[in-house]
Amino acid sequence: MSSAHTKTEHGHTDHNYLNHGSGIWSWMTTLDHKRIGLMYFATVATLFLIGGFFALGIRLHLAKFGTTPLLDPDTYNKFMTFHGAIMVFMVIIPGIPAFLGNFVLPIQLGAKDVAFPRLNLASYYIFIAGALIAASSMIFNQVDTGWTFYTPYSTAKTSNGVILLVLGAFTMGFSSILTGLNFIVTTHKLRAPGMTMDRIPLMIWALYSTSIIQILATPILAITLLLIGAEKTLGVGIFDPDLGGDPVLFQHFFWFYSHPAVYIMILPAMGVISELITAFSKKTIFGYRAIAYSSVAIAAVSFLVWGHHMFVSGQSTIAGIVFSIITMFVGVPTAIKLFNWISTMYRGTVTFEAPMLFALGFMFLFTIGGLTGVFLASTGMDVHFHDTYFVVAHFHYVMVGGTLMALMGGIFYWFPKMFGKMTSDLGGRISWVLIFTGFNVTFFPQFVLGAMGMPRRYFDYLPEYTNLNQISTVGSWLIGLGFLVGLITIIHGILKGEKATDNPWGAKTLEWQTSSPPPHENFTTTPTVTAGPYDFR
Amino acid sequence: MTSVSSSSEFHHQHHFKSAEHQYASSKQGIWLFLCTEILMFGGLFVGYLIYHSLYPTVFKNGSETLDWKMGAVNTVVLLVSSFTMAAAINYVQRGLHKIAAIMLALTIACAGAFMVIKYFEYSHKFHVGTVPGKFSLVDPSCAAGGKRAECESKISALLKNPAELEKNHVSAEEVARLKAVISQPKWEMFYGFYFVMTGLHGVHVVAGAFLIFWVFIKTLRRKVGPEYYTPVEGVGLFWHVVDLVWIYLFPLLYLVG
């Protein structure tokens, strides 16, 4: 990107956002979007380790069928609930937008900060408060409903810990809304001179579409969670058949948020991948507008597909068919992105540094996740696959194989900008090999298990499922090891990494035109933009 | 206290080009937030619609037990408060701090009046027992078990006791209406919606009152004025949305039936 007025002299790193203020207090009260992004990083990484601990526990338990289980059924259900709730509400939803988004969005727009820096800090603390409220249910009153809180079990049968967990999720939803709002206004109002909407990087298109979903869908989750709370404390009856209510209404409300939420998780990941593919192919992205508008298209369609979670809930055949067809529409913009990425790599000067490996891993795993999604969108097949391990494998391929791969790639890609240091490329590659292999070893057998009929969420299984479950468990250790290597590589990079240049990858977007790490206000002079974001030729 | 025009408070933040730029951004942010508020109440309206169509008689009879006079007074109170809020914004924009502060104080008073009237409505319902599911029955085990029809409700107990009726200001007319309600199965459903919808709205009224108090202090300290009135306007917009929600709740709960 041409930005003639940007100073990019090397060695201008003596004063930057990291040493702009010192001491823990200057971090706790910072209004700098880059610092807030890093604070989200630390928080989300910690929560990810906790969620991962529960995941390994679940897999370890399932390595053996029969009489000597590791966890008793009750504890197993609680492990499963906390794994799901932590990973969804506290890791994958805020992971890319709140951490990477916060860090790169204003710099990529050529802005000094997000539109509302104080609100941004407030969102962070609201998130922390929500996480603490939700986590307190682990201590006071554990929950065993699964992260979906399906009624009437959650409202009529199980413990009151549900109230804490839904209150925590409600609070984190508030944080999500405020972050989305902040991003939308920043994108509308704070673009640098010359940064027209068709020159903003694709990461921002993705974050922008994500923010729209956050603003339009999260309020529905908010009211749904409040109604669960009201149901538990007052016995309102809206979801309780005993009092005249309908538990299926809960599913409608819940999935009206939670299906778009799937795209809150995956759209920013697609944005990251667009950046990585073009940077490591050294080529202008193919079909900029198609990728940009497909993000918005996914956001729009996401609101119309929730019913595919409810094919077996007793909804009418017509509704099932309609939801099935609309669900398959999601494949169109997704495929547009994928084909454009491949076209971008075609005849590009592709190099395979760690971030690019993660991007390729994303494309591979997300394609499998997406295609199996078409199976589940077909009403007939879904009746067979419903609530089996096939579904588990599908959404792990999409959410973990998609979002976490992109998150890891994004971390290694923007790491030099964040800390002014390089990570060990070897470390990144080892981490990738372990995660990628481990991931397929863990979740591919689950497709088979699901097709064979092993139900999800069960504490035990039939002996014929043993082998595949054991393979899956071994795979989970590989993933764990892979993330451990990744973590060590990141910590090593922070402590002992080589000094990074301003633009180590030779990328063209604005964040690489400023120093590494950037100064407090991102640019010494406001950049002027004269061309599109990926002008490699 | 510094004068309006020379105060350093009115400088825009470093990442905006100008005060107008900052104002436009803030306003966009506020409107987006208000969208989320409307959507959140939207969930409840959808639920109300569904159950109204499922149990039309319950909702009609339930609606008739509400005191539409109190609801109407509250509607007027909120409409007046919307006017005083709008006036306050206008006076702040013109630099008339004293009258602006008075208008804000009046708005807070209206919010208070609304909550007081709501308190009387709520407490009457607690007395007669038209409350959401869990608390509407004498015996809590009835709610869980399958023999709810045999369980005597708090209301039917009350209706048999003339002394209690007298004490709780229940007129003969109301007795008839209450009897009509509890003759219907699933009648608590209506009160579930009534309490959740008005309760969530009440929380917004209280939150709005605190926000108005915040800009009231700002007005007294002259932190807002003709050059910078974003907080007053933002809080004002929020308050109008709170009013607007009530404008929909009142006919839906009290009048339509």
Side-chain angles (χ1 to χ4, degrees):
Chain A
M1 181 176 293
S2 322
S3 46
H5 302 290
T6 315
K7 275 188 188 168
T8 53
E9 66 223 288
H10 294 278
H12 190 74
T13 48
D14 51 324
H15 187 79
N16 59 52
Y17 83 100
L18 290 170
N19 59 25
H20 183 72
S22 63
I24 186 87
W25 191 244
S26 80
W27 280 82
M28 304 272 287
T29 59
T30 185
L31 299 181
D32 188 330
H33 68 96
K34 301 183 284 303
R35 285 190 165 197
I36 294 171
L38 291 191
M39 280 151 67
Y40 270 113
F41 181 23
T43 314
V44 168
T46 312
L47 290 163
F48 178 69
L49 289 179
I50 300 171
F53 163 79
F54 286 116
L56 291 175
I58 293 169
R59 275 315 329 160
L60 199 61
H61 169 86
L62 289 172
K64 198 165 186 304
F65 89 95
T67 48
T68 50
L70 184 71
L71 309 167
D72 61 86
D74 207 27
T75 319
Y76 174 82
N77 284 342
K78 288 168 181 172
F79 264 52
M80 186 197 71
T81 302
F82 284 118
H83 167 66
I86 290 174
M87 288 305 198
V88 169
F89 291 117
M90 307 183 203
V91 177
I92 299 181
I93 288 181
I96 298 185
F99 154 44
L100 290 177
N102 243 321
F103 188 87
V104 300
L105 179 126
I107 321 184
Q108 284 194 329
L109 287 171
K112 286 176 180 162
D113 208 324
V114 290
F116 311 115
R118 269 188 289 183
L119 190 68
N120 199 16
L121 185 67
S123 314
Y124 174 74
Y125 284 113
I126 293 170
F127 176 74
I128 295 285
L132 287 177
I133 296 171
S136 65
S137 70
M138 281 197 245
I139 300 158
F140 298 122
N141 222 335
Q142 287 110 351
V143 187
D144 56 356
T145 59
W147 76 277
T148 49
F149 317 117
Y150 267 14
T151 55
Y153 181 71
S154 63
T155 50
K157 300 268 185 236
T158 191
S159 77
N160 281 331
V162 174
I163 297 174
L164 286 173
L165 198 52
V166 296
L167 203 63
F170 173 83
T171 315
M172 285 184 280
F174 204 55
S175 157
S176 179
I177 285 177
L178 295 177
T179 304
L181 183 157
N182 220 335
F183 284 1
I184 288 186
V185 178
T186 309
T187 311
H188 281 174
K189 297 285 183 187
L190 291 179
R191 303 193 303 272
M195 179 69 88
T196 52
M197 277 307 261
D198 54 5
R199 283 180 186 165
I200 61 178
L202 291 168
M203 173 75 175
I204 298 196
W205 270 111
L207 288 169
Y208 182 77
S209 316
T210 309
S211 303
I212 292 174
I213 306 180
Q214 283 175 313
I215 285 193
L216 296 183
T218 317
I220 314 298
L221 177 76
I223 194 65
T224 312
L225 296 178
L226 285 181
L227 281 170
I228 288 209
E231 192 80 53
K232 267 203 111 50
T233 48
L234 305 174
V236 169
I238 181 168
F239 301 136
D240 187 351
D242 236 12
L243 298 167
D246 186 358
V248 178
L249 180 67
F250 172 82
Q251 294 187 25
H252 280 292
F253 276 172
F254 182 82
W255 288 114
F256 187 80
Y257 163 79
S258 293
H259 196 80
V262 173
Y263 301 108
I264 297 181
M265 304 170 198
I266 203 65
L267 273 173
M270 291 169 158
V272 173
I273 300 306
S274 300
E275 300 293 313
L276 298 187
I277 294 286
T278 180
F280 292 95
S281 303
K282 299 279 174 297
K283 196 158 154 264
T284 313
I285 198 139
F286 184 90
Y288 167 87
R289 275 169 195 250
I291 299 184
Y293 297 157
S294 66
S295 288
V296 184
I298 291 176
V301 177
S302 74
F303 287 101
L304 307 172
V305 301
W306 78 91
H308 69 226
H309 292 265
M310 302 169 65
F311 286 151
V312 298
S313 72
Q315 75 183 3
S316 71
T317 316
I318 286 292
I321 292 168
V322 169
F323 279 122
S324 174
I325 292 170
I326 304 176
T327 301
M328 289 180 194
F329 279 156
V330 181
V332 177
T334 312
I336 288 175
K337 281 181 193 291
L338 209 65
F339 292 139
N340 279 321
W341 291 330
I342 293 168
S343 310
T344 306
M345 288 192 291
Y346 176 68
R347 291 197 156 181
T349 317
V350 184
T351 50
F352 296 99
E353 283 96 339
M356 184 60 168
L357 288 179
F358 279 105
L360 294 175
F362 170 95
M363 287 166 67
F364 185 84
L365 300 178
F366 188 78
T367 305
I368 298 178
L371 289 177
T372 50
V374 180
F375 295 19
L376 294 173
S378 318
T379 45
M381 293 179 95
D382 185 68
V383 172
H384 178 71
F385 288 134
H386 191 85
D387 269 348
T388 66
Y389 263 71
F390 193 91
V391 177
V392 177
H394 158 71
F395 72 70
H396 277 89
Y397 262 90
V398 174
M399 285 164 152
V400 188
T403 310
L404 282 182
M405 276 278 163
L407 184 59
M408 288 300 280
I411 292 171
F412 285 120
Y413 178 62
W414 279 298
F415 188 89
K417 193 51 68 184
M418 287 171 188
F419 298 100
K421 291 177 178 176
M422 301 298 288
T423 48
S424 146
D425 198 48
L426 184 67
R429 287 174 198 222
I430 295 175
S431 165
W432 178 79
V433 169
L434 287 169
I435 296 174
F436 185 78
T437 327
F439 188 82
N440 285 299
V441 174
T442 308
F443 293 105
F444 200 82
Q446 295 186 6
F447 281 125
V448 185
L449 282 171
M452 285 163 72
M454 177 170 161
R456 68 190 279 204
R457 294 187 160 171
Y458 274 33
F459 148 85
D460 201 358
Y461 48 80
L462 298 173
E464 46 267 52
Y465 301 136
T466 312
N467 288 343
L468 288 168
N469 265 299
Q470 282 172 346
I471 295 172
S472 185
T473 300
V474 172
S476 73
W477 300 334
L478 285 178
I479 303 179
L481 195 64
F483 278 111
L484 198 65
V485 172
L487 184 67
I488 292 168
T489 311
I490 288 164
I491 293 173
H492 177 264
I494 294 173
L495 298 176
K496 300 206 166 145
E498 275 177 58
K499 204 165 162 46
T501 56
D502 288 352
N503 190 358
W505 314 117
K508 298 288 180 182
T509 39
L510 271 187
E511 76 270 30
W512 303 105
Q513 314 299 314
T514 185
S515 56
S516 296
H520 172 58
E521 293 190 345
N522 295 345
F523 300 94
T524 34
T525 335
T526 307
T528 304
V529 182
T530 52
Y534 309 105
D535 212 13
F536 280 95
R537 273 170 292 186
Chain B
M1 206 173 279
T2 53
S3 76
V4 169
S5 51
S6 65
S7 168
S8 60
E9 291 291 327
F10 299 127
H11 286 303
H12 57 88
Q13 285 173 289
H14 72 98
H15 55 290
F16 290 109
K17 285 194 287 271
S18 62
E20 291 75 41
H21 187 208
Q22 173 168 320
Y23 171 71
S25 306
S26 305
K27 205 156 171 185
Q28 194 171 68
I30 290 158
W31 276 106
L32 284 171
F33 179 71
L34 296 180
C35 287
T36 69
E37 288 285 355
I38 299 279
L39 280 163
M40 185 166 82
F41 278 101
L44 284 176
F45 282 112
V46 168
Y48 184 90
L49 202 74
I50 292 168
Y51 289 111
H52 188 283
S53 66
L54 281 178
Y55 310 107
T57 326
V58 167
F59 277 70
K60 179 180 176 292
N61 293 344
S63 173
E64 278 165 5
T65 62
L66 301 184
D67 191 341
W68 68 268
K69 283 173 200 145
M70 283 204 179
V73 171
N74 254 348
T75 310
V76 174
V77 166
L78 280 192
L79 286 175
V80 169
S81 80
S82 247
F83 170 75
T84 54
M85 189 70 223
I89 297 169
N90 184 281
Y91 288 127
V92 169
Q93 285 169 338
R94 285 156 59 189
L96 304 169
H97 288 85
K98 207 174 267 177
I99 180 99
I102 292 171
M103 285 298 166
L104 288 171
L106 281 175
T107 317
I108 298 172
C110 285
F114 179 89
M115 291 313 286
V116 169
I117 294 172
K118 208 82 227 147
Y119 165 79
F120 283 117
E121 281 192 76
Y122 270 25
S123 53
H124 185 71
K125 286 181 184 58
F126 295 151
H127 288 312
V128 299
T130 44
V131 285
K134 220 179 214 177
F135 299 99
S136 61
L137 302 161
V138 180
D139 180 7
S141 64
C142 294
K147 296 190 226 160
R148 299 197 52 242
E150 296 159 32
C151 288
E152 192 176 36
S153 79
K154 208 179 202 171
I155 302 174
S156 35
L158 177 89
L159 294 179
K160 284 178 200 147
N161 187 339
E164 279 289 304
L165 288 177
E166 181 84 15
K167 202 179 117 200
N168 291 313
H169 313 286
V170 183
S171 63
E173 195 187 5
E174 198 180 348
V175 170
R177 283 181 179 155
L178 288 172
K179 277 184 177 158
V181 168
I182 60 169
S183 67
Q184 292 291 322
K186 320 286 188 202
W187 59 268
E188 312 93 311
M189 197 63 152
F190 175 78
Y191 296 98
F193 271 103
Y194 171 80
F195 274 95
V196 171
M197 290 174 108
T198 56
L200 188 64
H201 177 259
V203 169
H204 279 79
V205 171
V206 173
F210 275 107
L211 288 172
I212 297 167
F213 184 70
W214 171 63
V215 293
F216 171 72
I217 299 290
K218 268 186 182 295
T219 310
L220 284 185
R221 289 190 181 161
R222 316 221 159 191
K223 301 268 186 193
V224 287
E227 280 134 62
Y228 176 69
Y229 47 83
T230 315
V232 192
E233 190 168 354
V235 168
L237 285 170
F238 177 78
W239 189 250
H240 293 319
V241 165
V242 173
D243 289 353
L244 189 70
V245 170
W246 179 257
I247 300 296
Y248 281 90
L249 283 180
F250 171 60
L252 206 60
L253 293 169
Y254 291 73
L255 303 180
V256 176

